[in-house]
């Protein structure tokens, strides 16, 4: 009992450490908000005078704009193709999610529930594929997707690539989770005359909701956030995804930090919301397999 | 009547092997023929265009007073050659369209006239041709096309060639462009040999063994298998030889026909050029050499003599299309034999049985596996193959075998030990060297993973307290770096480290320190990368650790406390060991991810200063997409993969050994 009291002896200290860490974590994000709402294209929160005092310097660090304005947001949405790019990203990410979840769930179920020749090799090959350097794949991917499959500048080209690239990690994660679902449930269902398909869709998938949510989240993020392959496969400006478009603002010759910040916020909001929504599943979905298996 | 399994297997093998290689072979043969036709059609267009360019040259080089626009000339040319649909002659000086029968051009005004702004593409093409001619002449090694064009969607062809004036015979004065409907046609190759190859050996073998089986009774089943296999292989080889020869001969004959047609065309063009020169009073003599039948670098293809006679021998000897087709057939044959052996010796039967027995599992894995094969494993293998070539931007058209470089890329990467370079000012590290980059990459990975794991673990320990208030708020905020797209955060941090305006230097100013040019020295630049990546990667580790911590039962701590263990001992002997099964795979993954973490380095520091902070993966990217050395970059990437693979095997071995010890 004395230990129990000792556990709670320093909540203040814990809070101080946590608050300090949290502030450091979110400061860059607050800074982006500041620039986005400043209405200017500059990087600086406030310009330092010739001979700055400490107060001036503190002002330049405080994440709050001198003047609040929505100009950057309006500019980004109206002046550029930004809304089209967002639309492209949304289509690509949503279809990637659907396809990615389908591919990963079916494969993970087989790897978890069946014993078959090639099972170990298949799983190992998935693991090893995580080590493939992206740079090695890009030239061949371009040849396959654009020249052979003729899917350059199309949504499907990107969707197929993203959904496939996400498979290995998702399969490993899902397999770990499926392994923790007791096999007796299925056996009794088989006794009742249910087919594999019914078991898979009616029993396993609902039980694996946390892991599937996390799979969906990762597939969505893979489609929403990627920009290298997207810039490789999408050559027409109308077909850019949001990340490719965003790089325009702070590329080698442009420094429209205000537009970039506003654009970043617009791009990040959907995925952050999704992340927060899925958060409750994140811990169990990610680690259930490795803990119990 | 009893037919042995062996006969069925071998017959099936013959059938499948024959069929697949026949279809592949047909596909190759058709492709080769199509390639040949395209090449020949291009030559047809080129001959017509080059001859006209010569006339334009003569016409434009005349003295000033009786100079006229080549409008009449192109009209004449088009009348004489029914295959020409439209002609355009442009001059770069003054951006003038001298003559044209393209309907688009006529809509914009009758030539001769100045090019309009909307016709910039025409002017650009002239500039490009001139630049290409200059480049090739200066380098003495042609690599930029001087004859431009290709097939249009409607089967017509566009060809543009430069023309020159007598005053400056080296500098392209403009270009002549034709749109023509090529007269050279071809048929699809015959399909019958495919069926013959697919069916005849199998049928021969099947009925042959039935008849022989009645006559001869062999004692040993072993020898039956081997003798039937040998017979089958021989049959298949005969079939393949006939098949391959048929198409190769076919291609050869078509080729000869093409050359003959071209030669006739050449003679006709020559006649009309002479007539044209006479009609327009041009000072033009057709030389005693073939100037018109040229390749894309305007170098004469020596198949046709100046008077249109054909050098067949030269044509066939240089025929790379036929060579390649022959090689493709050889590969097909190997495949067919391999399939036959696989079927004949029972491998296929066993495979089939396995698939049937475990069909449920395979059906479930099939969609993912197909995707992985096509879009992950195949590109990977292709990339490895690329690493043995010296492919660059300039030879992507060539087949990989033509630019095979063996191990030279690897030797150049791994065998280069010039780690230190000495200059007049002293010595410095050679940042371009592979081992420097490897050192930076390893340091980068070790530091990052250490930071990620320790920060993540500490935060997870702090958060894993049932009585902690605002736990969800902390967790939600701390997880944010993971949720925000990493290219966004990378660029944000680039702004944070900005020398003049970045908040980090302002904060240093508050503390009374001088601002730092973060990307100007090796160490501070490395620090920026570590900061950004640490910030990006600790949430993942935190979540993993939280998951691990939650699964540890409270009873264990209770028991430990009863035994008098202090907090450190509890952490050391309960928490850490229980976290191990969760942490080890996460650490392996995170090492691999960090090793290949492209975004942070590429977007934040860009490897500054002087490429010293480049990690292997960003270096490979730059080699491919800034230096366009695809082959070399692929070798670089393969080395990265090998390093990671060795790490993975080693790590698994170590953790297994640790498990068996404890």
């Amino acid at each position: 009992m004395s230990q129990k009291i000792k556990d709670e002896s320093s909540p203040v200290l814990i809070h101080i450490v946590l608050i300090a860490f949290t502030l450091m974590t979110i400061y860059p994000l607050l800074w982006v908000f500041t620039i986005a709402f400043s209405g200017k294209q500059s990087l600086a929160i406030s310009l330092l005078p010739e001979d700055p005092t400490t107060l001036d310097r503190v002002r330049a660090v405080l994440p709050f704009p001198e003047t609040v304005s929505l100009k950057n947001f309006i500019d980004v949405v109206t002046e550029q193709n930004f809304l089209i790019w967002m639309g492209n990203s949304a289509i690509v990410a949503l279809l990637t999610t659907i396809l990615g979840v389908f591919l990963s769930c079916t494969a993970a179920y087989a790897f978890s529930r069946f014993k078959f020749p090639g099972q170990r090799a298949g799983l190992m090959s998935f693991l090893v594929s995580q080590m493939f350097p992206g740079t090695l794949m890009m030239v061949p991917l371009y040849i396959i997707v654009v020249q052979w499959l003729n899917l350059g500048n199309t949504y499907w080209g990107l969707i197929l690539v993203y959904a496939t690239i996400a498979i290995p990690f998702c399969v490993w994660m899902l397999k770990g989770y499926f392994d923790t679902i007791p096999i007796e449930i299925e056996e009794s269902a088989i006794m009742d005359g249910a087919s594999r398909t019914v078991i898979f869709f009616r029993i396993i998938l609902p039980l694996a909701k946390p892991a599937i949510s996390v799979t969906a989240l990762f597939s969505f993020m893979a489609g929403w956030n990627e920009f290298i392959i997207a810039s490789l496969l999408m050559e027409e400006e109308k077909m850019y995804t949001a990340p490719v478009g965003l790089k325009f603002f702070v590329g080698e010759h442009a420094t429209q930090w205000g537009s970039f910040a506003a654009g970043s916020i617009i791009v990040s909001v959907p995925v952050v919301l999704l992340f927060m929504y899925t958060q409750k599943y994140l811990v169990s979905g990610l680690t259930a397999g490795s803990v119990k298996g | 009547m009893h037919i042995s399994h062996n006969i069925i297997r071998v017959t099936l093998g013959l059938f499948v092997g024959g069929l697949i290689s026949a279809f592949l072979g047909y596909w190759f043969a058709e492709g080769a023929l199509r390639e040949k036709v395209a090449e020949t059609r291009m030559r047809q267009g080129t001959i017509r265009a080059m001859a006209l360019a010569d006339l334009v040259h003569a016409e434009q080089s005349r003295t000033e007073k009786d100079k006229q626009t080549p409008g009449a000339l192109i009209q004449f040319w088009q009348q004489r050659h029914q295959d020409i649909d439209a002609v355009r002659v442009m001059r770069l000086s003054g951006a003038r369209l001298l003559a044209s029968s393209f309907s688009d051009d006529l809509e914009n005004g009758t030539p001769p006239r100045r090019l309009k702004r909307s016709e910039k593409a025409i002017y650009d093409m002239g500039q490009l041709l001139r630049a290409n001619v200059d480049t090739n002449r200066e380098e003495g090694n042609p690599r930029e096309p001087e004859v431009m064009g290709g097939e249009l969607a409607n089967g017509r062809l566009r060809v543009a060639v430069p023309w020159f004036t007598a005053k400056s015979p080296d500098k392209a004065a403009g270009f002549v462009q034709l749109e023509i409907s090529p007269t050279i046609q071809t048929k699809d190759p015959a399909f019958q040999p495919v069926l013959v190859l697919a069916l005849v050996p199998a049928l021969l073998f099947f009925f042959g063994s039935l008849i022989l089986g009645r006559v001869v009774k062999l004692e040993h089943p072993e020898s039956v298998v081997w003798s039937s296999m040998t017979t089958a292989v021989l049959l298949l080889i005969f079939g393949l030889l006939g098949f391959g020869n048929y198409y190769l001969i076919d291609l050869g004959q078509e080729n000869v026909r093409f050359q003959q047609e071209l030669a006739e065309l050449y003679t006709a063009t020559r006649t009309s050029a002479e007539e044209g020169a006479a009609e327009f009073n041009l000072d033009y003599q057709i030389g005693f050499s073939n100037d018109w039948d040229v390749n894309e670098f305007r170098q004469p293809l020596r198949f046709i003599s100046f008077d249109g006679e054909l050098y067949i021998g030269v044509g066939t000897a240089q025929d790379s299309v036929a060579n390649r087709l022959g090689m493709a057939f050889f590969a097909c044959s190997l495949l067919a034999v391999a399939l036959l052996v696989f079927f004949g010796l029972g491998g296929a039967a066993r495979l089939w049985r396995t698939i049937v027995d475990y069909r449920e599992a395979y059906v479930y894995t099939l969609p993912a596996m197909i995707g992985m094969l096509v879009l992950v494993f195949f590109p990977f293998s292709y990339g490895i193959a690329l690493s043995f070539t010296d492919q660059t931007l300039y030879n992507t058209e060539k087949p990989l075998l033509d630019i095979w470089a063996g191990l030279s890329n690897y030797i150049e990467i791994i065998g280069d030990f010039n780690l230190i370079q000495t200059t007049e000012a002293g010595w410095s590290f050679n940042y371009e060297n592979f081992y420097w980059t490897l050192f930076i990459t390893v340091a980068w990975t070790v530091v990052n993973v250490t930071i990620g794991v320790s920060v993540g673990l500490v935060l997870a320990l702090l958060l894993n307290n049932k009585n902690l208030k605002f736990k969800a708020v902390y967790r939600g905020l701390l997880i944010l770096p993971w949720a925000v797209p990493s290219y966004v955060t990378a660029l944000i941090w680039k702004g944070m480290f900005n020398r003049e305006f970045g908040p980090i230097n302002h904060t240093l100013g508050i503390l009374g320190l001088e601002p730092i040019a973060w990307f100007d020295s090796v160490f501070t630049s490395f620090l920026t990368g570590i900061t950004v990546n640490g910030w990006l990667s600790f949430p993942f580790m935190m979540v993993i650790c939280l998951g691990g911590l939650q699964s540890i039962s409270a009873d264990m701590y209770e028991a430990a406390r009863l035994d008098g263990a202090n907090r450190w001992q509890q952490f050391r002997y309960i928490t850490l060991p229980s976290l191990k099964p969760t942490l080890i795979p996460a650490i392996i993954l995170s090492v691999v991810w960090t090793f290949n973490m492209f975004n942070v380095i590429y977007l934040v520091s860009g490897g500054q200063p002087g490429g010293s902070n480049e990690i292997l993966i960003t270096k490979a990217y730059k080699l491919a997409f800034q230096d366009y050395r695809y082959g070399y970059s692929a070798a670089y990437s393969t080395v990265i993969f090998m390093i990671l693979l060795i790490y993975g095997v080693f790590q698994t071995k170590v953790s297994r050994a640790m498990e068996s010890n404890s």
Side-chain angles (χ1 to χ4, degrees):
Chain A
M1 227 38 222
S2 65
Q3 284 286 335
K4 191 88 185 167
I5 294 161
K6 206 178 166 190
D7 268 2
E8 294 162 14
S9 61
S10 53
V12 181
L13 198 66
I14 292 179
H15 276 289
I16 289 173
V17 174
L18 281 175
I19 288 173
F21 242 105
T22 312
L23 280 181
M24 284 198 314
T25 307
I26 60 172
Y27 180 80
L29 304 174
L30 294 177
W31 182 71
V32 172
F33 268 87
T34 312
I35 293 175
F37 283 102
S38 72
K40 284 176 282 189
Q41 294 291 2
S42 155
L43 255 179
I45 295 173
S46 75
L47 286 175
L48 286 185
E50 196 64 12
D51 191 19
T53 62
T54 309
L55 203 66
D56 288 331
R57 291 185 189 278
V58 171
R59 178 71 200 87
V61 175
L62 271 188
F64 197 81
E66 286 182 315
T67 50
V68 178
S69 145
L70 284 176
K71 184 173 170 300
N72 283 332
F73 288 91
I74 295 166
D75 280 359
V76 163
V77 173
T78 53
E79 281 178 18
Q80 312 275 354
N81 285 329
F82 196 73
L83 287 182
I84 299 177
W85 299 336
M86 286 287 286
N88 292 343
S89 271
I91 293 171
V92 169
L94 281 177
L95 289 175
T96 300
T97 311
I98 295 170
L99 188 66
V101 168
F102 171 75
L103 292 176
S104 313
C105 281
T106 46
Y109 181 70
F111 280 120
S112 165
R113 281 303 188 257
F114 300 111
K115 284 260 166 293
F116 57 94
Q119 186 179 24
R120 228 183 96 76
L123 274 175
M124 280 318 279
S125 72
F126 280 10
L127 199 63
V128 170
S129 77
Q130 288 293 290
M131 299 174 180
F132 295 174
T135 44
L136 188 59
M137 323 278 284
M138 271 189 271
V139 174
L141 261 185
Y142 182 84
I143 292 173
I144 293 171
V145 176
V146 177
Q147 294 180 357
W148 295 358
L149 301 178
N150 215 354
L151 288 175
N153 282 320
T154 61
Y155 295 131
W156 281 110
L158 268 191
I159 292 165
L160 288 176
V161 172
Y162 290 158
T164 320
I165 287 178
I167 286 177
F169 182 72
C170 292
V171 164
W172 268 92
M173 199 175 64
L174 281 168
K175 178 193 174 288
Y177 200 91
F178 287 156
D179 285 346
T180 65
I181 299 174
I183 199 151
E184 290 78 19
I185 300 178
E186 277 166 75
E187 278 165 357
S188 63
I190 290 177
M191 286 299 174
D192 294 343
S195 74
R196 273 285 176 198
T197 327
V198 171
I199 293 173
F200 178 64
F201 282 104
R202 293 277 173 77
I203 299 175
I204 296 296
L205 290 190
L207 280 176
K209 203 176 156 198
I212 290 172
S213 313
V214 177
T215 310
L217 175 70
F218 285 166
S219 302
F220 184 85
M221 281 171 70
W224 188 262
N225 294 351
E226 207 281 338
F227 74 95
I228 301 168
I229 297 174
S231 57
L232 191 72
L233 298 184
M234 300 297 210
E235 284 161 342
E236 277 172 29
E237 206 175 313
K238 289 269 176 222
M239 292 302 289
Y240 281 174
T241 55
V244 180
L246 263 190
K247 255 215 98 193
F248 255 59
F249 298 127
V250 282
E252 278 172 26
H253 306 294
T255 42
Q256 298 166 273
W257 283 98
S259 302
F260 167 73
S264 301
I265 290 172
I266 299 175
V267 170
S268 307
V269 163
V271 54
V272 169
L273 286 183
L274 206 65
F275 210 94
M276 291 299 137
Y277 176 74
T278 332
Q279 209 206 113
K280 56 177 181 267
Y281 299 126
L282 207 55
V283 174
S284 59
L286 265 179
T287 52
S290 53
V291 172
K292 285 160 196 156
Chain B
M1 187 177 72
H2 174 75
I3 303 170
S4 82
H5 283 301
N6 180 36
I7 293 176
I8 296 178
R9 273 189 215 143
V10 176
T11 311
L12 209 60
L14 273 175
F15 179 65
V16 174
L19 197 68
I20 289 181
S21 63
F23 271 111
L24 275 178
Y26 180 79
W27 185 61
F28 285 129
E30 201 204 353
L33 193 61
R34 213 181 305 130
E35 198 179 326
K36 198 78 221 169
V37 173
E39 185 190 308
T40 315
R41 287 180 171 182
M42 194 64 198
R43 277 168 68 190
Q44 174 177 2
T46 311
I47 290 173
R48 299 279 205 228
M50 287 296 288
L52 181 58
D54 272 359
L55 289 179
V56 171
H57 158 83
E59 194 266 347
Q60 289 287 307
S61 308
R62 286 198 294 199
T63 46
E64 208 60 43
K65 52 185 172 185
D66 52 350
K67 196 170 198 168
Q68 52 183 195
T69 59
L73 187 61
I74 70 160
Q75 211 178 352
F76 163 80
W77 197 248
Q78 219 174 326
Q79 270 165 10
R80 294 301 298 262
H81 303 291
Q82 292 304 313
D83 53 347
I84 299 178
D85 299 312
V87 186
R88 171 188 288 151
V89 181
M90 78 82 70
R91 193 179 71 193
L92 276 166
S93 117
R96 287 186 75 78
L97 187 66
L98 295 181
S100 175
S101 53
F102 276 83
S103 55
D104 293 355
D105 293 347
L106 296 175
E107 274 169 27
N108 280 329
T110 328
R113 61 176 172 81
R114 211 183 143 78
L115 282 169
K116 296 229 163 76
R117 184 161 273 280
S118 60
E119 294 168 325
K120 191 170 179 300
I122 298 177
Y123 184 74
D124 286 348
M125 185 154 165
Q127 287 286 14
L128 183 60
L129 270 172
R130 176 183 273 183
N132 287 355
V133 171
D134 290 349
T135 315
N136 290 346
R137 193 186 58 245
E138 278 157 19
E139 293 184 359
N141 175 32
R143 63 179 173 86
E144 303 284 1
E146 295 180 21
V147 175
M148 291 180 133
E151 214 163 296
L152 303 175
N154 55 14
R156 290 183 185 174
L157 199 70
R158 264 190 198 182
V159 190
V161 298
W163 60 271
F164 303 83
T165 57
K167 256 185 267 169
S168 51
D170 279 345
K171 206 155 185 68
F175 69 83
V176 170
Q177 189 174 32
L178 300 185
E179 184 168 311
I180 88 171
S181 312
T183 47
I184 291 172
Q185 299 294 342
T186 186
K187 56 185 195 326
D188 280 345
F191 197 67
Q192 293 88 326
V194 170
L195 295 176
V196 172
L197 174 60
L199 294 177
V200 171
L203 289 178
L204 273 180
F205 178 81
F206 185 68
F207 290 113
S209 5
L210 282 190
I211 296 161
L212 271 180
R214 298 205 150 179
V215 184
V216 191
K217 288 263 178 283
L218 281 169
E219 291 300 319
H220 307 289
E222 275 289 293
S223 61
V224 175
V225 172
W226 285 109
S227 61
S228 61
M229 273 307 289
T230 320
T231 324
V233 169
L234 284 175
L235 275 171
L236 187 66
I237 286 175
F238 277 117
L240 284 163
L241 279 177
F243 174 84
N245 269 323
Y246 177 85
Y247 283 123
L248 280 173
I249 290 170
D250 193 46
L251 182 72
Q253 281 172 345
E254 286 292 281
N255 188 23
V256 170
R257 186 169 68 78
F258 293 157
Q259 305 282 358
Q260 279 164 348
E261 284 189 29
L262 273 180
E264 277 165 32
L265 196 112
Y266 191 92
T267 326
T269 313
R270 203 178 136 90
T271 317
S272 52
E274 268 164 355
E275 286 169 12
E279 189 170 329
F280 291 95
N281 279 325
L282 298 176
D283 177 23
Y284 175 55
Q285 293 293 319
I286 293 172
F288 290 102
S289 66
N290 158 26
D291 294 331
W292 297 337
D293 186 29
V294 294
N295 66 10
E296 59 170 339
F297 308 117
R298 286 198 311 125
Q299 293 170 324
L301 295 159
R302 308 188 181 283
F303 303 150
I304 301 175
S305 77
F306 69 95
D307 53 359
E309 201 178 307
L310 204 56
Y311 301 135
I312 287 288
V314 182
T316 36
Q318 289 187 341
D319 203 355
S320 64
V321 176
N323 280 345
R324 236 178 294 151
L325 182 60
M327 253 156 54
F329 280 150
F330 185 68
C332 281
S333 312
L334 288 185
L335 178 71
V337 174
L339 279 171
L340 172 61
V341 171
F342 181 59
F343 273 82
L345 297 183
R350 272 195 298 277
L351 182 69
W352 177 248
R353 226 168 297 133
T354 315
I355 290 175
V356 171
D357 287 352
Y358 299 96
R359 58 187 174 282
E360 242 178 349
Y362 289 126
V363 167
Y364 274 95
T365 46
L366 195 65
M369 271 303 176
I370 291 176
M372 291 291 287
L373 278 181
V374 176
L375 292 171
V376 176
F377 293 114
F378 181 76
F380 174 72
S381 323
Y382 192 99
I384 302 259
L386 214 57
S387 75
F388 293 104
T389 70
D390 51 10
Q391 192 180 61
T392 61
L393 183 65
Y394 306 115
N395 58 13
T396 40
E397 311 291 305
K398 289 189 185 165
L400 294 188
L401 281 179
D402 288 5
I403 45 175
W404 201 255
L407 286 172
S408 68
N409 285 330
Y410 291 95
I411 292 167
E412 197 179 328
I413 295 168
I414 299 174
D416 176 12
F417 293 105
N418 295 322
L419 190 54
I420 288 170
Q421 54 189 4
T422 43
T423 52
E424 287 163 19
W427 65 275
S428 62
F429 282 110
N430 175 14
Y431 297 139
E432 295 297 311
N433 188 278
F434 168 75
Y435 292 99
W436 170 266
T437 315
L438 179 65
F439 164 72
I440 287 287
T441 314
V442 171
W444 156 263
T445 311
V446 170
V447 174
N448 269 318
V449 174
T450 314
I451 290 180
V453 172
S454 33
V455 173
L457 183 59
V458 167
L459 287 174
L461 285 171
L462 291 179
L463 284 174
N464 191 39
N465 183 337
K466 288 216 170 53
N467 304 313
L468 189 74
K469 281 180 184 165
F470 310 120
K471 200 164 105 180
V473 178
Y474 285 129
R475 205 179 57 184
L477 289 175
L478 286 171
I479 225 168
L480 270 176
W482 190 3
V484 178
S486 65
Y487 64 92
V488 169
T489 46
L491 287 171
I492 293 173
W493 276 97
K494 188 181 182 166
M496 298 268 295
F497 280 111
N498 188 293
R499 189 173 187 279
E500 279 174 81
F501 306 113
I504 292 185
N505 274 349
H506 285 319
T507 313
L508 289 180
I510 296 173
L511 300 174
L513 299 170
E514 284 300 305
I516 296 175
W518 287 95
F519 303 116
D520 282 3
S521 95
V522 180
F523 180 68
T524 53
S525 183
F526 186 74
L527 269 187
T528 62
I530 298 290
T531 315
V532 180
N533 203 53
W535 185 83
L536 268 176
S537 57
F538 81 83
F540 171 73
M541 279 299 171
M542 184 181 87
V543 168
I544 295 283
C545 291
L546 269 176
L549 287 174
Q550 280 170 9
S551 69
I552 305 173
S553 115
D555 299 350
M556 290 176 76
Y557 291 109
E558 201 66 33
R561 269 185 229 121
L562 289 178
D563 288 348
N566 63 25
R567 300 205 49 161
W568 167 250
Q569 284 167 330
Q570 287 176 29
F571 177 74
R572 175 71 189 78
Y573 295 106
I574 299 175
T575 316
L576 269 190
S578 321
L579 275 181
K580 226 174 71 185
T582 334
L583 262 184
I584 297 255
I587 289 178
I588 297 181
L589 261 186
S590 134
V591 165
V592 173
W593 285 343
T594 315
F595 204 89
N596 283 342
M597 185 65 190
F598 176 82
N599 287 2
V600 171
I601 295 285
Y602 182 73
L603 294 175
V604 179
S605 72
Q608 294 295 331
S612 58
N613 267 293
E614 213 83 74
I615 59 172
L616 292 171
I617 191 92
T618 56
K619 190 73 172 283
Y621 181 85
K622 284 194 176 161
L623 285 170
F625 295 99
Q626 285 178 13
D627 302 349
Y628 301 113
R629 300 178 67 187
Y630 299 140
Y632 189 69
S633 163
Y636 222 89
S637 308
T638 310
V639 172
I640 300 178
F641 170 67
M642 293 314 292
I643 294 171
L644 283 175
L645 193 65
I646 291 168
Y647 162 76
V649 171
F650 177 74
Q651 174 83 55
T652 340
K653 282 251 168 68
V654 167
S655 44
R656 272 217 198 108
M658 274 162 64
E659 264 166 39
S660 57
N661 275 347
S662 59

